[in-house]
Amino acid sequence: MDLSMKWLRDYVDRDFETKQFCYDMTMTGSKVEGYGVEGDEIKNVVVGKILSVVPHENSDHLVVCQVDVGKGEPIQIVTGASNVNAGDIVPVALDDSYLPGGKHIKKGKLRGVESNGMLCSLGELGLTVHDFPYAIEDGIFIMQEDCEIGQDIRSAIGLNDTTVEFEITSNRPDCLSVIGLAREAAATYGMDFAEPEPKYKGVDGDITEKINVVIENTDLCRRYIGGYVKNVKIGPSPRWLRERLRASGLRPINNLVDITNYVMLEYGQPMHAFDARFIKGNEIHVRNARAGETITTLDGNVRELSPEMLVIADTEKPVAVAGVMGGEYSGIMDDTVDVIFESASFNGASVRRTAKKLGMRTDSSARFEKGLDPNLCEPAIMRAFELVELLGCGEVLNTKIDRFPNPPAPKTVEFTPDWINRFLGIDIPAEQMAGYLKKIGFEVNGSEITVPYYRVDIESKADVAEEVARFYGYNNIPGANLTGVADARLTPAQKLTRTLESACIAQGLYEIETFSFISPKYYDKINLPVDSKLRNSVTILNPLGEDTSVMRTTVLPSMCEVLARNYNYRNAEAALFELGSEYIPTEEGKLPEEPQRLSIGIYGGGCDFFSLKGIVEQIFRAVGLDGVEYEAASAGCGFDEYSMFHPGRVAVASFDGKPIAILGEMHPSVSENYGIGVRAYCAKINASEILGISVPEKTYKPLPKFPAATRDVSLICDDDTPVAVLEKLISKAVGGVLEKIKLFDVYKGEQIAGDKKSVAFSIVMRSHDGTLTDDQADAAMKRVRKALSEIGAEVR
């Protein structure tokens, strides 16, 4: 909703500083999106009077004008316009002026004659003939306004309004109007607000002799008021009305149409004016469309109607789509003589469905679909009649037709100050609450509140509490814990999930999310054995297709699909992770188990098996898992997905002898199945299983007080002895004083037998009870040598 600040001052007599107004209105619940000032791009453009017009000495189509701009000496301007004459009042862009679109005007010479500015047309000022109907579209704007020479052009033609844009929520249709926002502004600033009472004199006449109205569907049309204006005079609206429509984002058309638009903006009640000539049978029927009926709407398009749509019809055909748009022959034309005004209340849901199905959302439907109260119809049509008389564009019959089958009773809500105080966590007297409510039109009678008809959103005491809160000030309500959830905290599983996600992100991985339902062909693509238990999947009864027909029993195919998609999109590298569920069938008739799994996939960027292993190690370190062991994987390692990995580049991570992860390079045939032309690496971590063994709490370790002792050990062992086995033996032999052990050399060469290798470790030992002596360090190394000799390793 765009609010004209000039229009607002008709109802709230106060000068507003725009930024402060936007802030204050937002703080009381009327959210402001922004504001704009009309003509703010126009600078140094003034009203001028042409004193003389003479032909250009070097051109047949240019003229030289002497123009008075209120600065003493006239200035000379060369123009090619043919509609200027001495005595004309025109807009003059002076030297160093700006026009809409950033156009910069500087003095210069045209065909050798000096020109100190430019005479402006409507288009150059960002206006059209709808804004000034007496002007011509192509040519200099010859002004007929009451203005002074030298006056800034924006103030001279009313192009200086400020428009504030409000975001109106769907439950506040009353604020889709100037009066509604004025009421909110008055309450915000503690000012009295009295809704205007439109009045008109009218002329004698019985409307029932002119027209009859029948509501055939009272569920979709709760009220219909029809009025009659005869002897209308179609013409342009006065400038003040055109200015307000323009500032509100609507284009002026003619006085009768402008009146209906003006009332819609002012009261929030859409209206329509019908040319009485085209209402056949002099009857209006509010009914559902009939099968096969069509209507040509005002925009010239033929619309096919359906029986659930509500239409306004005469005795022969639909003449308007109720609440959306009028028909081609229902509008006001230049030769219109008699007009029927409509002010009606239509079902909001029906209007929305109709507008959506026809693909034509209008200002009218946008208001109706939010649910307008039928009591708004009468003041709106009264205002329209008042404007008809004010503009002198017709004679209003002093009788009208009002079809109102089921008038709603005034809505009442319980007034509970004590409950409101407890609910909001404040402590203010009931009189203060009542004062807030009265400012916005509520009537407070003891323990009962009568809700004004335009507040269709008020249903319960919680809604009343919201009204109190927004005028008391949200920023004045003290912070407090939510009642009933004081003990709420993350579960261990939720904490683990967040830790895993943070650890993956810290390793440079990007999170993905894939569907849980897959194709059975996915199992073939990862070389899953035919007899694997993972092929026993939960089948979806009504799948979208074969590609989504089963619930996955392993997350790795989904990761491979995303890696393949990135590779096919020519992404040079990818590093991805997903926390997802697998679905393992149980007994028939029971829900499947849904263990959570963390899958990781990487390729490119110089990564290899050890890059992936380092990522997995960091993840285990983040969840507090120390002592995870890695060993080469083989069939029967505890993961049926073993077959998707390269047999010589795959490992299983175990904790206390239980496998908790598998990681490695994808098998070349699997990479080929997915169309991945580079080495790709995947890992699967059993997140659910590590929940019970992780150590989420970090234990503080003080800085060491005593120095460390470092020893290097170099040994010769069988070539097929894993380094991890050696490291484990050394760590156990050193015992509690071991701080760190690091492999720093592996050697195979001429000095070593062909079936042997040389391995060297650096061992850091430290005691927290005192300085470690050489004897203690030597004793530890003696134990190391003994332990290594038991597996045939010889210390060099």
Side-chain angles (χ1 to χ4, degrees):
M1 173 70 187
D2 292 336
L3 176 65
S4 160
M5 296 300 288
K6 287 184 179 180
W7 201 344
L8 174 66
R9 291 190 188 95
D10 284 357
Y11 301 101
V12 184
D13 188 15
R14 174 171 175 157
D15 290 330
F16 296 102
E17 197 282 315
T18 307
K19 287 186 178 179
Q20 187 63 42
F21 173 79
C22 295
Y23 173 81
D24 294 339
M25 291 293 285
T26 298
M27 293 303 292
T28 55
S30 301
K31 183 184 176 184
V32 174
E33 286 291 293
Y35 71 91
V37 180
E38 282 188 312
D40 58 347
E41 291 184 291
I42 299 175
K43 294 179 174 61
N44 204 22
V45 181
V46 300
V47 177
K49 181 179 181 180
I50 298 178
L51 302 178
S52 65
V53 180
V54 298
H56 193 291
E57 58 187 13
N58 298 321
S59 174
D60 293 334
H61 67 277
L62 297 177
V63 294
V64 180
C65 304
Q66 298 298 321
V67 185
D68 180 7
V69 292
K71 296 185 177 181
E73 293 294 323
I75 65 172
Q76 179 172 285
I77 294 178
V78 178
T79 181
S82 60
N83 68 318
V84 292
N85 298 285
D88 288 343
I89 306 298
V90 294
V92 181
L94 303 176
D95 177 37
D96 196 25
S97 60
Y98 289 87
L99 295 173
K103 187 175 182 180
H104 190 194
I105 305 301
K106 297 282 290 182
K107 66 180 180 180
K109 289 185 177 183
L110 292 177
R111 293 289 183 91
V113 176
E114 186 178 81
S115 182
N116 295 298
M118 185 179 78
L119 307 183
C120 300
S121 66
L122 279 175
E124 287 162 336
L125 295 174
L127 301 170
T128 69
V129 291
H130 293 285
D131 299 299
F132 292 92
Y134 62 79
I136 62 174
E137 193 161 6
D138 298 321
I140 301 302
F141 178 23
I142 309 301
M143 301 168 57
Q144 299 177 11
E145 309 304 306
D146 184 14
C147 52
E148 298 179 0
I149 305 303
Q151 182 180 355
D152 183 86
I153 193 65
R154 293 175 57 209
S155 64
I157 61 176
L159 192 62
N160 57 354
D161 199 352
T162 298
T163 301
V164 177
E165 180 187 356
F166 287 87
E167 179 188 335
I168 307 301
T169 55
S170 58
N171 66 328
R172 290 298 305 274
D174 59 298
C175 287
L176 282 170
S177 65
V178 175
I179 288 178
L181 290 173
R183 185 185 295 112
E184 291 292 311
T188 297
Y189 290 98
M191 303 171 65
D192 293 331
F193 179 82
E195 187 172 327
E197 296 183 11
K199 297 178 181 179
Y200 70 98
K201 295 178 181 179
V203 297
D204 293 337
D206 185 359
I207 191 173
T208 59
E209 297 177 358
K210 304 286 187 180
I211 195 76
N212 184 38
V213 175
V214 179
I215 301 178
E216 297 182 14
N217 189 333
T218 56
D219 292 330
L220 300 186
C221 179
R222 301 173 64 189
R223 188 177 191 181
Y224 194 102
I225 302 179
Y228 202 90
V229 179
K230 63 181 184 179
N231 300 326
V232 300
K233 302 177 182 64
I234 305 300
S237 299
R239 176 178 142 179
W240 62 267
L241 195 150
R242 300 196 307 268
E243 285 180 6
R244 292 184 177 184
L245 291 180
R246 183 183 66 229
S248 302
L250 293 183
R251 185 186 68 180
I253 298 175
N254 61 51
N255 47 14
L256 266 296
V257 175
D258 291 350
I259 285 173
T260 61
N261 286 333
Y262 189 90
V263 172
M264 179 183 70
L265 292 171
E266 189 172 36
Y267 281 81
Q269 170 67 40
M271 296 187 63
H272 192 70
F274 296 96
D275 190 325
R277 293 176 298 175
F278 300 108
I279 304 299
K280 302 300 182 182
N282 296 327
E283 286 193 2
I284 289 177
H285 292 261
V286 187
R287 61 170 174 84
N288 288 79
R290 300 188 178 106
E293 279 189 320
T294 61
I295 184 174
T296 302
T297 47
L298 284 170
D299 58 5
N301 293 318
V302 178
R303 313 281 181 176
E304 185 175 345
L305 305 174
S306 53
E308 75 275 6
M309 298 179 181
L310 191 71
V311 298
I312 312 301
D314 56 22
T315 56
E316 297 180 1
K317 63 187 183 307
V319 294
V321 182
V324 182
M325 185 179 287
E328 182 179 21
Y329 295 107
S330 69
I332 304 302
M333 304 178 186
D334 291 341
D335 59 347
T336 297
V337 177
D338 297 329
V339 170
I340 300 168
F341 273 89
E342 167 195 282
S343 182
S345 178
F346 302 116
N347 178 272
S350 173
V351 171
R352 178 171 175 79
R353 284 193 296 267
T354 298
K356 186 174 182 180
K357 189 168 184 178
L358 295 177
M360 48 187 299
R361 195 166 188 264
T362 61
D363 287 329
S364 175
S365 67
R367 286 169 168 79
F368 276 124
E369 68 186 27
K370 292 176 174 59
L372 300 179
D373 191 278
N375 289 295
L376 187 59
C377 296
E378 186 168 15
I381 200 168
M382 295 284 285
R383 176 58 166 161
F385 292 157
E386 183 180 51
L387 289 171
V388 169
E389 292 188 341
L390 179 65
L391 272 57
C393 55
E395 299 174 2
V396 183
L397 293 191
N398 56 14
T399 58
K400 60 182 183 292
I401 294 175
D402 188 355
R403 301 288 186 250
F404 200 179
N406 302 299
K411 188 188 301 182
T412 58
V413 178
E414 184 182 7
F415 182 43
T416 54
D418 292 339
W419 182 89
I420 292 173
N421 275 328
R422 291 195 304 273
F423 183 68
L424 298 178
I426 60 177
D427 184 15
I428 61 175
E431 293 77 12
Q432 186 174 347
M433 295 184 189
Y436 294 146
L437 298 173
K438 290 176 182 178
K439 287 193 300 184
I440 50 176
F442 289 69
E443 293 181 11
V444 181
N445 301 303
S447 60
E448 186 178 78
I449 297 171
T450 301
V451 180
Y453 70 87
Y454 47 81
R455 290 303 302 273
V456 296
D457 59 309
I458 304 298
E459 298 288 346
S460 65
K461 59 184 179 181
D463 297 322
V464 176
E466 182 182 2
E467 299 303 301
V468 172
R470 65 193 186 96
F471 289 108
Y472 175 70
Y474 294 120
N475 54 328
N476 295 324
I477 299 176
N481 292 326
L482 294 175
T483 58
V485 293
D487 295 331
R489 56 177 60 90
L490 295 176
T491 65
Q494 290 172 328
K495 289 181 179 179
L496 177 66
T497 296
R498 297 193 180 191
T499 302
L500 291 173
E501 289 174 344
S502 298
C504 289
I505 293 171
Q507 297 304 306
L509 305 180
Y510 289 88
E511 185 172 12
I512 63 171
E513 187 170 350
T514 60
F515 290 120
S516 299
F517 31 85
I518 62 173
S519 168
K521 294 178 181 178
Y522 279 23
Y523 299 140
D524 296 330
K525 294 178 75 172
I526 65 168
N527 293 343
L528 199 65
V530 177
D531 59 349
S532 171
K533 64 179 183 296
L534 295 182
R535 287 184 177 269
N536 179 26
S537 305
V538 176
T539 303
I540 299 174
L541 294 178
N542 55 342
L544 297 175
E546 194 275 341
D547 288 343
T548 56
S549 59
V550 299
M551 304 297 292
R552 66 187 178 194
T553 56
T554 171
V555 294
L556 287 176
S558 301
M559 175 59 70
C560 293
E561 288 288 335
V562 179
L563 288 176
R565 191 175 303 121
N566 276 271
Y567 181 79
N568 292 330
Y569 289 164
R570 299 188 178 183
N571 290 328
E573 57 186 73
L576 312 171
F577 79 94
E578 178 185 19
L579 266 168
S581 296
E582 295 176 342
Y583 299 85
I584 310 301
T586 55
E587 298 178 20
E588 186 174 352
K590 292 187 178 181
L591 294 174
E593 295 179 357
E594 299 181 24
Q596 191 177 45
R597 302 293 184 238
L598 172 62
S599 61
I600 299 170
I602 59 175
Y603 73 78
C607 67
D608 57 16
F609 171 84
F610 294 103
S611 303
L612 179 63
K613 182 173 180 285
I615 292 173
V616 173
E617 287 175 335
Q618 289 296 329
I619 291 172
F620 285 145
R621 189 172 292 116
V623 297
L625 274 186
D626 292 328
V628 176
E629 298 178 359
Y630 301 85
E631 60 181 356
S634 59
C637 63
F639 289 92
D640 280 19
E641 298 95 336
Y642 163 77
S643 56
M644 73 165 282
F645 293 98
H646 191 296
R649 299 168 186 158
V650 57
V652 169
S654 302
F655 186 83
D656 283 344
K658 296 180 181 179
I660 57 175
I662 186 169
L663 60 150
E665 180 184 329
M666 287 170 57
H667 195 285
S669 65
V670 174
S671 295
E672 183 179 352
N673 291 341
Y674 283 100
I676 302 176
V678 295
R679 289 184 175 183
Y681 303 85
C682 288
K684 169 183 165 181
I685 298 175
N686 294 344
S688 295
E689 281 76 350
I690 66 176
L691 175 60
I693 57 177
S694 64
V695 183
E697 299 297 331
K698 303 298 181 184
T699 303
Y700 168 72
K701 293 182 179 180
L703 294 174
K705 297 180 180 179
F706 306 104
T710 302
R711 296 286 190 273
D712 293 342
V713 59
S714 179
L715 55 96
I716 296 176
C717 63
D718 293 339
D719 189 28
D720 58 357
T721 302
V723 170
V725 172
L726 300 173
E727 184 178 313
K728 185 176 180 180
L729 281 173
I730 295 172
S731 299
K732 185 176 180 180
V734 173
V737 295
L738 178 66
E739 183 174 274
K740 183 169 62 175
I741 179 171
K742 182 180 180 181
L743 173 72
F744 68 85
D745 183 56
V746 176
Y747 173 76
K748 292 176 65 177
E750 295 179 358
Q751 294 83 4
I752 306 294
D755 59 346
K756 300 289 184 178
K757 62 182 176 183
S758 173
V759 181
F761 293 93
S762 176
I763 303 171
V764 179
M765 296 173 283
R766 191 192 305 269
S767 172
H768 294 282
D769 299 326
T771 300
L772 200 67
T773 64
D774 288 339
D775 291 340
Q776 290 173 310
D778 292 341
M781 295 306 298
K782 184 177 180 180
R783 294 194 298 272
V784 168
R785 287 190 292 271
K786 181 180 179 180
L788 291 172
S789 66
E790 292 176 356
I791 63 169
E794 178 184 350
V795 176
R796 300 178 65 185

